[in-house]
Amino acid sequence: MYIVKRLRLFALLVAAVLLTGCTKAAEEANDPELLLGFSQVGSESAWRIGNTKDIENSAAQYGVSLMFENANQSQENQIAAIRRFIAYKVDVIAFSPIVEDGWDNVLMEAKEAGIPVVLVDRTIETEKEDLTACLIGADFYNEGVMAAEYLIRKADSLGLDHVNIVEITGTENSTPMLQRQAGFADTIADDERMHILESIDGDFLKSRGAECMRYLLETYGDDIDVVYSHNDEMTLGALPEIEKTDMIPGRDIIIISIDGGQEAIDVLKEGKINCVVECTPNLGSELMETALKLKEGEPVDAVIHPTEQVFSDEMDVSTIGPRGY
Ligand code: GZL
């Protein structure tokens, strides 16, 4: 009888310890270390969808409670989302601004509420001081430089003495559009072989990429030597339009793209495009680490650029592994 009593007492002690532990874990889960509000541009590309997935996965990995809002390509929706985050008194606000201007008022409201703001992927244009804590995103200017440097090497290898370029740009006045255009233009500026026939806004969309390419082919035809496209989505929209002509993409027309998603790498491997500059969507872990530091009042770097590479027909493309977006 004595043994039974001892066993019952032991079982009660074990249960008490386990329950306390569970309660504590539950308390921690219900009281996350950080409440982060994130306003996303939309779902316009494989890059954007990959970026969203990485941010959501990183929040789960870091135990961050994420309020995520998709603005569906609308600045108005992003501003409204930021106002909701302020009203909800989140610890940190992060967003990828669809365009560079028009943020002063809402970011002043966040500053007055004492909520730090992290820019992810894209940046803003403002005269005001200290509206944001930092930027986590690619060096888009350098992406443009790398695209142009590839073209210069390609022209050298083909012995070209005149190169007609058409440019399909991303969303007008967005950071990647402005800087990819500037980096490319600055790099070819001193190369007398290079001529940009026209730049046209494809808004980072596949459908617009097709429309732009149709117009450019109707206007310039086989005078086009190079297509410089600011993202894979527009490139993938443009390709079928080129294939409707007697020109062979990747051979008669050099095609340069940016993002580095799986679909673009697949057509690079097929030889239909010549160069893909990587722009990684995987910014989630840097965002969580930065937001956690901001909540604790710790200093953070003003700009965090991920490392990025170039994939092209200069390399053994069969060695390129799965891209994950
Ligand atoms: C780049 C990102 C761009 C991608 C596009 O960091 O802002 O927006 O290049 C996306 O695919 O639409």
Side-chain angles (χ1 to χ4, degrees):
M1 191 57 179
Y2 171 75
I3 289 176
V4 172
K5 277 186 178 175
R6 297 286 294 175
L7 281 175
R8 276 198 189 130
L9 179 61
F10 177 71
L12 282 172
L13 279 174
V14 169
V17 168
L18 286 176
L19 273 174
T20 310
C22 292
T23 310
K24 190 172 181 319
E27 278 166 9
E28 278 172 4
N30 294 332
D31 176 20
E33 197 174 346
L34 172 75
L35 178 56
L36 171 65
F38 185 84
S39 168
Q40 180 61 290
V41 166
S43 311
E44 75 281 0
S45 65
W47 189 98
R48 187 66 56 197
I49 291 164
N51 179 242
T52 292
K53 190 170 69 174
D54 185 66
I55 287 169
E56 289 174 337
N57 291 344
S58 299
Q61 186 186 344
Y62 281 78
V64 169
S65 181
L66 180 66
M67 286 178 72
F68 179 90
E69 295 216 19
N70 184 324
N72 296 311
Q73 315 312 120
S74 154
Q75 179 175 33
E76 187 184 334
N77 289 348
Q78 287 199 290
I79 290 169
I82 292 170
R83 287 200 164 109
R84 279 191 289 277
F85 298 150
I86 293 168
Y88 207 83
K89 295 184 171 52
V90 298
D91 296 305
V92 177
I93 292 169
F95 75 115
S96 175
I98 187 166
V99 291
E100 292 204 342
D101 51 20
W103 304 99
D104 284 1
N105 291 342
V106 73
L107 293 184
M108 281 299 291
E109 292 165 29
K111 185 175 180 180
E112 284 152 15
I115 302 175
V117 176
V118 176
L119 294 168
V120 175
D121 171 31
R122 303 181 179 180
T123 190
I124 61 171
E125 182 65 42
T126 180
E127 302 296 323
K128 297 196 182 295
E129 298 287 318
D130 302 330
L131 287 183
T132 59
C134 65
L135 164 66
I136 302 169
D139 180 346
F140 301 122
Y141 183 89
N142 191 48
E143 290 172 356
V145 169
M146 292 192 287
E149 287 174 341
Y150 165 80
L151 178 55
I152 289 167
R153 294 195 302 270
K154 187 70 174 178
D156 292 346
S157 69
L158 295 175
L160 303 179
D161 56 16
H162 188 101
V163 181
N164 284 330
I165 304 157
V166 292
E167 181 182 26
I168 305 178
T169 75
T171 307
E172 193 176 358
N173 196 32
S174 69
T175 312
M177 175 264 168
L178 294 167
Q179 295 186 12
R180 285 170 182 167
Q181 183 169 64
F184 187 88
D186 292 350
T187 305
I188 65 170
D190 297 336
D191 190 326
E192 291 175 0
R193 297 172 294 178
M194 305 293 172
H195 305 274
I196 296 183
L197 298 176
E198 186 167 353
S199 283
I200 183 169
D201 181 359
D203 204 16
F204 285 131
L205 297 172
K206 190 171 190 174
S207 57
R208 285 284 298 130
E211 288 165 22
C212 292
M213 197 67 236
R214 247 192 320 275
Y215 160 77
L216 293 166
L217 287 166
E218 285 162 8
T219 309
Y220 303 102
D222 58 9
D223 284 346
I224 300 171
D225 300 311
V226 178
V227 176
Y228 171 45
S229 167
H230 287 191
N231 89 325
D232 296 345
E233 230 61 36
M234 299 187 296
T235 303
L236 294 165
L239 263 182
E241 298 308 317
I242 298 171
E243 290 174 317
K244 289 174 186 170
T245 72
D246 58 2
M247 290 186 283
I248 296 175
R251 194 195 72 180
D252 302 326
I253 291 189
I254 297 164
I255 299 175
I256 301 168
S257 188
I258 301 179
D259 272 351
Q262 192 59 58
E263 266 196 273
I265 295 301
D266 291 347
V267 292
L268 174 71
K269 291 183 175 182
E270 292 169 29
K272 292 184 178 179
I273 65 178
N274 306 85
C275 174
V276 183
V277 177
E278 181 183 34
C279 176
T280 180
N282 301 325
L283 307 171
S285 56
E286 287 85 354
L287 171 56
M288 300 307 150
E289 287 175 13
T290 299
L292 286 164
K293 285 178 182 173
L294 288 169
K295 189 189 178 199
E296 298 307 319
E298 295 172 16
V300 298
D301 293 332
V303 179
I304 300 171
H305 282 324
T307 52
E308 297 177 322
Q309 58 186 311
V310 178
F311 303 107
S312 80
D313 53 12
E314 298 165 303
M315 64 191 282
D316 176 3
V317 294
S318 67
T319 62
I320 304 171
R323 299 293 301 148
Y325 61 99

